[in-house]
Amino acid sequence: MKNLKALGIISSPRKDGNSAYLLNEVLNYLKPHMEVQTLYLKDYAIESCKECYYCVEHDTCSIQDYMQEIYGFLKESDVILLSSPIFMGGIASRMRILMERTWHLRKGQLKGKLGSYILTGRRDVGAGANEMEEYLSRLKVSKLSGVFGFGLHKGDVQKDDEAMKDVKRLSDQILSVLKV
């Protein structure tokens, strides 16, 4: 039987912030059942999309940077979890760059994988949810409802009872869908 893999990608500039905390809680639930991996985008030098359309003909990006490694992680994973704080009403710029650089994967290369997201902020996270939902749809992954955490300062989401319940709900849904 294939070893299942879950990939968590965090776009926060803080490794110990609210976005990372909630994602790590989900991954901790999954860890007894599958291999988990966490990527902090702040640790990867990734260039913005150049809109050169090289990927249309070659099914890969022309820019040779750490995205080449991330493509492999995405393709190897059974579960893809994206986590971002909300900055100025939308997802963090690092996540936006990742999304744009995976444009060539929209043709179904990730179809059959599970995808979801975690968003944190102090107010409305709706625009970020729309971005995440649209992105996962374009990748053709099977989407599960995301987790929303409310808070501004480090540790605030730990007091958000609804977010903590949603972490458990998402984790249980992943395990149920994968029949683990």
Side-chain angles (χ1 to χ4, degrees), residues 2-3 5-9 35 37 39 44 46 59-61 63-80 98 101-102 104-105 109-110 113 135:
K2 177 186 169 201
N3 287 342
K5 294 181 180 180
L7 175 65
I9 301 176
E35 183 182 328
Q37 180 178 16
L39 299 181
Y44 292 85
I46 301 170
D59 200 30
T60 190
C61 185
I63 303 169
Q64 297 299 308
D65 61 9
Y66 283 104
M67 274 306 296
Q68 302 304 321
E69 185 177 348
I70 294 172
Y71 296 140
F73 295 145
L74 289 165
K75 290 176 181 178
E76 294 169 5
S77 297
D78 301 286
V79 179
I80 299 168
L98 175 116
R101 289 286 304 282
T102 57
H104 67 282
L105 296 177
Q109 293 92 320
L110 303 180
K113 298 178 185 300
Y135 176 68

Side-chain angles (χ1 to χ4, degrees), residues 120-132:
T120 60
R122 68 183 186 127
R123 290 202 183 106
D124 183 22
V125 296
N130 290 340
E131 288 178 274
M132 292 291 199

Side-chain angles (χ1 to χ4, degrees), residues 35-47:
E35 183 182 328
V36 301
Q37 180 178 16
T38 306
L39 299 181
Y40 295 90
L41 292 178
K42 71 181 261 88
D43 292 340
Y44 292 85
I46 301 170
E47 292 183 40

Side-chain angles (χ1 to χ4, degrees), residues 49-172:
C49 176
K50 297 186 184 320
E51 198 181 6
C52 66
Y53 298 106
Y54 177 90
C55 63
V56 173
E57 293 182 28
H58 298 92
D59 200 30
T60 190
C61 185
S62 66
I63 303 169
Q64 297 299 308
D65 61 9
Y66 283 104
M67 274 306 296
Q68 302 304 321
E69 185 177 348
I70 294 172
Y71 296 140
F73 295 145
L74 289 165
K75 290 176 181 178
E76 294 169 5
S77 297
D78 301 286
V79 179
I80 299 168
L81 300 168
L82 307 173
S83 184
S84 180
I86 298 297
F87 292 157
M88 295 298 291
I91 59 171
S93 59
R94 287 179 180 92
M95 186 65 71
R96 169 54 56 205
I97 290 170
L98 175 116
M99 290 174 165
E100 290 172 1
R101 289 286 304 282
T102 57
W103 187 64
H104 67 282
L105 296 177
R106 77 196 186 290
K107 298 175 188 173
Q109 293 92 320
L110 303 180
K111 190 174 184 176
K113 298 178 185 300
L114 292 180
S116 192
Y117 55 89
I118 295 166
L119 297 170
T120 60
R122 68 183 186 127
R123 290 202 183 106
D124 183 22
V125 296
N130 290 340
E131 288 178 274
M132 292 291 199
E133 288 281 340
E134 180 65 24
Y135 176 68
L136 293 172
S137 291
R138 286 177 186 260
L139 290 180
K140 297 178 176 58
V141 301
S142 298
K143 294 185 296 184
L144 297 174
S145 296
V147 173
F148 303 102
F150 292 94
L152 178 61
H153 302 289
K154 178 180 161 183
D156 284 351
V157 294
Q158 295 173 38
K159 300 173 226 156
D160 182 346
D161 293 336
E162 193 69 29
M164 299 313 294
K165 286 179 191 173
D166 281 345
V167 160
K168 177 80 167 90
R169 174 208 35 89
L170 176 58
S171 304
D172 289 342

